[in-house]
Amino acid sequence: MTDAAESPRTHFIRQIAEADLASGKHDRIVTRFPPEPNGYLHIGHAKSIVLNFGLAESLGGICNLRFDDTNPHKENLEFVEAIQKDVRWLGFDWDDRLYFASDYFERLYGFAVELIEKGLAYVCDLSAEEMREYRGTLTEPGRDSPWRERPVAENLDLFARMRAGEFPDGSRTLRARIDMASPNINLRDPVLYRIKHGVVHHQTGSAWCLYPTYDYTHPISDALEGVTHSLCTLEFEDHRPLYDWVIANVSVPSRPRQIEFSRLNLEYTVMSKRRLTDLVGEAHVDGWDDPRMPTLAGLRRRGYTPAAIRVFCERIGITKSDNRVEMAMLENAIREDLDANALRRLAVLNPLKVVLTNYPEDRTESIELANHPKDPELGTRTLPFARELYIDRADFEETPPKGFKRLIPGGEVRLRGAYVIRCDEVVKNADGELVELRCWADLDTLGKNPEGRKVKGVIHWVSAEHAVAAEVRLYDRLFNVPMPGAGGSDYRADLNPESRRVLIGAMLEPNLRGVLPGERFQFEREGYFVADPDSTSERPVFNLTVGLRDTWGKSQS
């Protein structure tokens, strides 16, 4: 693991937590990661996971996993299970501290009763549209609801009947009684409970038709779990006064502190869960784990490693300033990881047949190549070498451009780890299409340079007889522009039509037969690839994780 992963960088939240420990305010740091189970986690959530779990772990504390399951219309167990899988995949665990906001529904109801009894909450009959009219604007104060002065006894009775299912959806809400003239709109008597009939909750079934809001549930859940530092993204900064109000006015056992940090804004993708849901639902991608998606499931299928994602999250840091992060930072993190750890293999993505006319037809020999040029401890493997080979079409030019150092008519190149060959004949079909090269092999050049001449080019190859046929999926960035949908335009218009290309007839060295899904390799001179779950024992499928170098910036300049 890199230094960034071994030694987490300091930041303002770490400094606050360290000061709280040093002063004796807290004996132990307790954080939480509170995802909504209404979609798959994405790379932005990874930043929060690494912060919450990593901070607690590095300071000898604990981090809880708590599902914010207060909106069952959009939630299901598929998302619950996927989220747990992703957190564990990143390298973190919560031991026995798996919680659901729904675990606290009864206690949340009791705290709401407490607020009513204190005169700090009331049942309101305004519709959602009327409530918006009464709320006011950023420059004008709101107006009191006609139901704001309901007697406590009447509020208690109505609230109990709301729970019992007596009233239809949208007919009544429970609202906090705070300040309709507050400059912070979040304090203008926010809704604490709303009625939702006909929902089967994935944890509580049909037991409830009355559901608490996030702004009410979150602070109480934190307090009940003994959370010391509740870390949220900046969009919750204006909600902090409400968070503190709730904590101050109900009899919870602890007083957590909410701290906000900037969310991850990654170029060439979208982070809105609504937009990601639309991409899946409208079939712009092949599901939540499509390798073009910024979801952790998609990144895993594309070949990203937990270590690379953790390093990326450490590098971008924790601040209170919104900023955009270049996709190249994420790509560089995985490129560095795989450069150090991925075994090397030969793969011809666009095969062109080569016949070595002076090589014996009945001869097959073994060529030994290193598994990793920088790590001798990873050993070597052998490749069969025979008369008929495949090279990549891009490594031959009949009319070469200036500076072309690969194979040309009459020119020589070295086959990686094998012989120097010379192209003597170009074979085309009736349509004038290139189908085969006939070449001469200098059989005295295995492991040594030819005498009297210098060969600069080196290309990769596979034996035609022994090659493994494969499907290779070349993935690129999902969007063509750094900020999809900028200026209010439809972000779908910015989708990259070339974000996936599928090569059916790729030819791989035989050592890649029978690879397991998730195994990662560097295809020499091509990039880093991972075996996809669609692979079979006889026909592997590989996904491009990232190229050997960043070519996107150059192509866009």
Side-chain angles (χ1 to χ4, degrees), residues 350 352-354 391-413 421-428 434 436-437 439 459 525:
N350 293 287
L352 172 61
K353 192 172 184 180
V354 170
I391 67 169
D392 198 280
R393 286 182 177 268
D395 284 333
F396 174 78
E397 283 288 347
E398 195 168 6
T399 306
K402 185 178 180 180
F404 189 77
K405 295 181 180 180
R406 286 160 279 172
L407 193 59
I408 62 175
E412 292 184 322
V413 295
I421 65 171
R422 182 187 68 228
C423 178
D424 291 336
E425 183 181 355
V426 177
V427 181
K428 299 181 180 181
L434 176 63
E436 183 180 297
L437 301 178
C439 299
I459 63 175
R525 302 178 65 234

Coordinates of all heavy atoms in Angstrom, one line a residue, residues 350 352-354 391-413 421-428 434 436-437 439 459 525:
N350 N -6.5 -6.8 -32.1 CA -6.9 -6.7 -33.5 C -5.9 -7.6 -34.3 O -5.0 -7.1 -34.9 CB -6.9 -5.3 -34.0 CG -8.0 -4.5 -33.3 OD1 -9.2 -4.6 -33.5 ND2 -7.6 -3.6 -32.4
L352 N -3.7 -9.8 -36.8 CA -3.2 -9.9 -38.1 C -2.3 -11.1 -38.2 O -1.3 -11.2 -37.4 CB -2.5 -8.6 -38.6 CG -1.8 -8.6 -39.9 CD1 -2.9 -8.9 -41.1 CD2 -1.0 -7.3 -40.2
K353 N -2.6 -12.0 -39.1 CA -1.8 -13.2 -39.2 C -0.4 -13.0 -39.8 O -0.3 -12.3 -40.8 CB -2.6 -14.3 -40.0 CG -2.0 -15.7 -39.9 CD -2.9 -16.7 -40.5 CE -2.4 -18.1 -40.4 NZ -3.3 -19.1 -41.0
V354 N 0.6 -13.6 -39.2 CA 1.9 -13.6 -39.7 C 2.4 -15.0 -39.9 O 2.3 -15.9 -39.0 CB 2.8 -12.8 -38.7 CG1 4.3 -13.0 -39.1 CG2 2.5 -11.4 -38.6
I391 N -0.1 -10.8 -34.8 CA 0.4 -9.5 -34.3 C -0.8 -8.5 -34.4 O -1.8 -8.8 -35.0 CB 1.6 -8.9 -35.0 CG1 1.2 -8.6 -36.4 CG2 2.8 -9.9 -35.0 CD1 2.3 -7.8 -37.2
D392 N -0.7 -7.4 -33.7 CA -1.8 -6.4 -33.8 C -1.7 -5.6 -35.1 O -0.6 -5.3 -35.6 CB -1.7 -5.4 -32.6 CG -3.0 -4.7 -32.4 OD1 -3.3 -3.8 -33.1 OD2 -3.8 -5.2 -31.5
R393 N -2.8 -5.4 -35.7 CA -2.9 -4.7 -37.0 C -2.3 -3.3 -36.9 O -1.7 -2.8 -37.9 CB -4.3 -4.5 -37.5 CG -4.9 -5.8 -38.0 CD -6.3 -5.7 -38.5 NE -6.8 -7.0 -39.1 CZ -6.6 -7.3 -40.4 NH1 -6.1 -6.4 -41.2 NH2 -7.0 -8.4 -40.9
A394 N -2.3 -2.7 -35.7 CA -1.7 -1.4 -35.5 C -0.2 -1.4 -35.6 O 0.4 -0.3 -35.7 CB -2.2 -0.8 -34.2
D395 N 0.4 -2.6 -35.5 CA 1.8 -2.7 -35.5 C 2.4 -2.9 -37.0 O 3.6 -3.2 -37.1 CB 2.3 -3.9 -34.6 CG 2.2 -3.5 -33.2 OD1 2.3 -2.3 -32.9 OD2 2.0 -4.4 -32.3
F396 N 1.5 -2.8 -38.0 CA 2.0 -2.9 -39.4 C 1.4 -1.7 -40.2 O 0.2 -1.4 -40.1 CB 1.6 -4.2 -40.0 CG 2.0 -4.2 -41.5 CD1 3.3 -4.5 -41.9 CD2 1.0 -4.0 -42.4 CE1 3.6 -4.5 -43.2 CE2 1.3 -4.0 -43.8 CZ 2.6 -4.3 -44.2
E397 N 2.3 -1.1 -41.0 CA 1.8 0.0 -41.9 C 2.5 -0.3 -43.2 O 3.7 -0.3 -43.3 CB 2.2 1.3 -41.3 CG 1.3 1.9 -40.2 CD -0.1 2.2 -40.7 OE1 -0.3 2.4 -42.0 OE2 -1.0 2.4 -39.9
E398 N 1.6 -0.4 -44.3 CA 2.2 -0.5 -45.6 C 2.8 0.8 -46.1 O 3.8 0.8 -46.8 CB 1.1 -1.0 -46.5 CG 1.6 -1.5 -47.9 CD 0.5 -2.2 -48.6 OE1 -0.7 -2.2 -48.2 OE2 0.8 -2.8 -49.7
T399 N 2.2 1.9 -45.7 CA 2.7 3.2 -46.0 C 2.9 3.9 -44.7 O 2.0 4.6 -44.2 CB 1.8 4.0 -47.0 OG1 1.5 3.2 -48.1 CG2 2.4 5.3 -47.4
P400 N 4.0 3.8 -44.1 CA 4.2 4.2 -42.7 C 4.3 5.7 -42.6 O 4.9 6.4 -43.5 CB 5.4 3.5 -42.2 CG 6.2 3.3 -43.5 CD 5.2 3.1 -44.5
P401 N 3.8 6.3 -41.5 CA 4.0 7.8 -41.3 C 5.4 7.9 -40.7 O 6.1 7.0 -40.3 CB 3.0 8.1 -40.2 CG 2.8 6.8 -39.5 CD 2.9 5.7 -40.5
K402 N 5.9 9.2 -40.7 CA 7.2 9.5 -40.2 C 7.3 9.1 -38.8 O 6.5 9.3 -37.9 CB 7.5 11.0 -40.4 CG 8.9 11.4 -40.0 CD 9.1 12.9 -40.2 CE 10.5 13.3 -39.9 NZ 10.8 14.7 -40.1
G403 N 8.4 8.4 -38.4 CA 8.7 8.0 -37.1 C 8.1 6.7 -36.7 O 8.2 6.3 -35.5
F404 N 7.4 6.0 -37.6 CA 6.8 4.7 -37.3 C 7.9 3.7 -37.1 O 8.8 3.4 -38.0 CB 5.9 4.3 -38.5 CG 5.1 3.1 -38.2 CD1 3.9 3.2 -37.4 CD2 5.4 1.8 -38.7 CE1 3.1 2.1 -37.2 CE2 4.6 0.7 -38.5 CZ 3.5 0.8 -37.7
K405 N 8.0 3.0 -35.9 CA 9.1 2.1 -35.6 C 8.6 0.7 -35.4 O 9.2 -0.1 -34.7 CB 9.7 2.6 -34.3 CG 10.4 3.9 -34.4 CD 11.0 4.3 -33.1 CE 11.7 5.7 -33.2 NZ 12.4 6.1 -31.9
R406 N 7.5 0.3 -36.1 CA 7.0 -1.0 -36.0 C 7.2 -1.7 -37.4 O 8.2 -1.3 -38.1 CB 5.6 -1.1 -35.6 CG 5.4 -0.7 -34.1 CD 4.1 -0.3 -33.7 NE 3.8 1.1 -33.9 CZ 2.7 1.8 -33.8 NH1 1.6 1.1 -33.4 NH2 2.6 3.0 -34.1
L407 N 6.4 -2.6 -37.7 CA 6.7 -3.4 -38.9 C 6.2 -2.7 -40.2 O 5.1 -2.3 -40.3 CB 6.1 -4.8 -38.8 CG 6.5 -5.9 -39.8 CD1 8.0 -6.2 -39.7 CD2 5.7 -7.2 -39.5
I408 N 7.1 -2.7 -41.2 CA 6.7 -2.2 -42.5 C 7.3 -3.1 -43.6 O 8.1 -4.0 -43.3 CB 7.3 -0.8 -42.7 CG1 8.9 -0.8 -42.7 CG2 6.8 0.2 -41.7 CD1 9.6 0.5 -43.0
P409 N 6.8 -3.1 -44.8 CA 7.3 -3.9 -45.9 C 8.8 -3.8 -46.0 O 9.4 -2.6 -46.2 CB 6.6 -3.4 -47.2 CG 5.3 -2.9 -46.6 CD 5.7 -2.2 -45.3
G410 N 9.6 -4.9 -45.9 CA 11.0 -4.8 -46.0 C 11.7 -4.5 -44.7 O 12.9 -4.5 -44.6
G411 N 10.9 -4.1 -43.7 CA 11.5 -3.6 -42.4 C 11.5 -4.7 -41.4 O 10.9 -5.8 -41.6
E412 N 12.3 -4.5 -40.3 CA 12.4 -5.5 -39.3 C 11.9 -5.0 -37.9 O 12.0 -3.8 -37.6 CB 13.9 -5.9 -39.1 CG 14.5 -6.6 -40.3 CD 15.9 -7.1 -40.0 OE1 16.7 -6.3 -39.4 OE2 16.3 -8.2 -40.4
V413 N 11.4 -5.9 -37.1 CA 11.1 -5.6 -35.7 C 11.4 -6.8 -34.9 O 11.6 -7.9 -35.5 CB 9.6 -5.3 -35.5 CG1 9.2 -4.0 -36.2 CG2 8.7 -6.4 -35.9
I421 N 12.1 -10.3 -36.9 CA 11.5 -10.8 -38.2 C 11.5 -9.6 -39.2 O 11.6 -8.5 -38.8 CB 10.1 -11.3 -38.0 CG1 9.1 -10.1 -37.5 CG2 10.0 -12.4 -37.0 CD1 7.7 -10.5 -37.5
R422 N 11.5 -10.0 -40.5 CA 11.4 -9.0 -41.6 C 10.2 -9.3 -42.4 O 9.9 -10.5 -42.8 CB 12.7 -9.2 -42.4 CG 12.7 -8.1 -43.6 CD 13.9 -8.4 -44.5 NE 13.7 -9.7 -45.2 CZ 14.7 -10.6 -45.3 NH1 15.9 -10.5 -44.7 NH2 14.5 -11.7 -46.0
C423 N 9.4 -8.3 -42.8 CA 8.2 -8.5 -43.7 C 8.7 -8.5 -45.1 O 9.2 -7.6 -45.7 CB 7.3 -7.3 -43.4 SG 5.8 -7.4 -44.5
D424 N 8.4 -9.7 -45.7 CA 8.8 -9.9 -47.1 C 7.6 -9.8 -48.1 O 7.8 -9.4 -49.3 CB 9.4 -11.2 -47.3 CG 10.8 -11.3 -46.7 OD1 11.4 -10.3 -46.5 OD2 11.2 -12.5 -46.3
E425 N 6.4 -10.1 -47.6 CA 5.2 -10.1 -48.6 C 4.0 -9.7 -47.8 O 3.7 -10.1 -46.7 CB 5.1 -11.5 -49.1 CG 4.0 -11.6 -50.2 CD 3.8 -13.1 -50.7 OE1 4.7 -13.9 -50.3 OE2 2.9 -13.3 -51.4
V426 N 3.1 -8.9 -48.5 CA 1.8 -8.5 -48.0 C 0.8 -9.2 -48.8 O 0.7 -9.1 -50.0 CB 1.7 -7.0 -48.1 CG1 0.3 -6.6 -47.6 CG2 2.7 -6.2 -47.3
V427 N -0.1 -10.0 -48.1 CA -1.1 -10.7 -48.7 C -2.5 -10.1 -48.5 O -2.9 -9.8 -47.4 CB -1.2 -12.2 -48.2 CG1 -2.3 -13.0 -48.9 CG2 0.2 -12.8 -48.4
K428 N -3.2 -9.8 -49.6 CA -4.5 -9.2 -49.6 C -5.6 -10.1 -50.2 O -5.3 -10.9 -51.1 CB -4.5 -7.8 -50.2 CG -3.6 -6.9 -49.6 CD -3.6 -5.5 -50.3 CE -2.6 -4.5 -49.6 NZ -2.7 -3.2 -50.2
L434 N -6.1 -6.3 -46.3 CA -4.9 -7.0 -45.8 C -5.4 -8.2 -44.9 O -6.2 -8.1 -44.0 CB -4.1 -6.0 -44.9 CG -2.9 -6.6 -44.2 CD1 -1.9 -7.1 -45.1 CD2 -2.3 -5.5 -43.2
E436 N -2.8 -11.1 -44.4 CA -1.7 -11.9 -43.9 C -0.4 -11.3 -44.3 O -0.3 -10.6 -45.3 CB -1.8 -13.3 -44.5 CG -0.7 -14.3 -44.0 CD -0.9 -15.6 -44.7 OE1 -2.0 -16.3 -44.5 OE2 0.0 -16.1 -45.5
L437 N 0.6 -11.4 -43.4 CA 2.0 -11.0 -43.7 C 2.9 -12.3 -43.8 O 2.7 -13.2 -43.0 CB 2.5 -10.1 -42.7 CG 1.8 -8.8 -42.4 CD1 2.4 -8.0 -41.3 CD2 1.7 -7.9 -43.7
C439 N 6.7 -13.4 -43.5 CA 7.9 -12.8 -43.0 C 9.0 -13.8 -42.8 O 8.8 -15.0 -42.8 CB 7.6 -12.2 -41.6 SG 6.4 -10.9 -41.5
I459 N 7.4 -5.5 -30.9 CA 6.0 -5.7 -30.9 C 5.6 -7.0 -30.2 O 6.4 -7.9 -30.0 CB 5.4 -5.6 -32.3 CG1 5.9 -6.8 -33.1 CG2 5.7 -4.3 -32.9 CD1 5.3 -6.9 -34.5
R525 N 1.8 -3.3 -23.7 CA 1.6 -2.3 -24.7 C 0.2 -1.9 -25.0 O -0.1 -1.1 -25.9 CB 2.3 -2.8 -26.1 CG 3.7 -3.1 -26.0 CD 4.3 -3.6 -27.3 NE 4.3 -2.6 -28.3 CZ 3.7 -2.7 -29.5 NH1 3.1 -3.8 -29.8 NH2 3.8 -1.7 -30.4

